[in-house]
Amino acid sequence: MLNREMINAVKIGDGGKSGEFFFFSADGKLVIKTLPDYEMSNFEQILEHYYIHMSTYHDSSYLTRIYGLYKFQWALDVMGVIVMKNIAEIPKDYILRCYDLKGSKY
């Protein structure tokens, strides 16, 4: 399959309330989501606590696994992206709806 065909075959979510894009890896094991600046900043603020929690409760935590938090810049444009485990791991053919559940710092 050519790269363009692979990109076109990727399932993209509707962006939810935030309007951000969700991409799923071909095997459905990863979710890649674009992040606005405020979400990137919020995650950066809790990153140390997330790391401590996941290090302590790695096998029993109900929090999703975050594999990477990235910023891409080209010209004057910057885009944040988070790569995380797809907790459902359900084949994408069976997914009817995707919801973006927001957390809280409080």
Side-chain angles (χ1 to χ4, degrees):
M1 182 181 283
L2 297 172
N3 284 343
R4 178 61 56 198
E5 292 170 340
M6 291 174 69
I7 291 169
N8 291 336
V10 171
K11 179 173 174 58
I12 301 174
D14 67 358
K17 184 178 178 181
S18 67
E20 300 303 316
F21 291 99
F22 290 85
F23 303 92
F24 295 87
S25 62
D27 61 3
K29 292 183 178 184
L30 298 175
V31 177
I32 300 130
K33 178 188 174 200
T34 58
L35 293 178
D37 287 339
Y38 72 90
E39 279 190 39
M40 186 73 97
S41 296
N42 286 344
F43 191 77
E44 288 170 349
Q45 289 176 7
I46 66 164
L47 185 58
E48 183 178 353
H49 297 287
Y50 175 83
Y51 174 78
I52 291 168
H53 174 83
M54 295 307 282
S55 297
T56 305
Y57 302 104
H58 54 90
D59 289 334
S60 60
S61 177
Y62 289 111
L63 296 179
T64 191
R65 305 305 188 261
I66 306 296
Y67 297 126
L69 188 65
Y70 306 94
K71 283 186 182 178
F72 297 98
Q73 181 174 354
W74 60 97
L76 299 175
D77 209 4
V78 177
M79 179 177 63
V81 174
I82 190 167
V83 178
M84 56 192 146
K85 181 178 181 180
N86 182 1
I87 59 171
E89 288 193 43
I90 298 171
K92 62 184 174 182
D93 297 338
Y94 296 104
I95 298 175
L96 301 176
R97 290 180 198 89
C98 295
Y99 296 95
D100 182 12
L101 302 177
K102 294 293 182 198
S104 175
K105 296 191 300 183
Y106 307 101

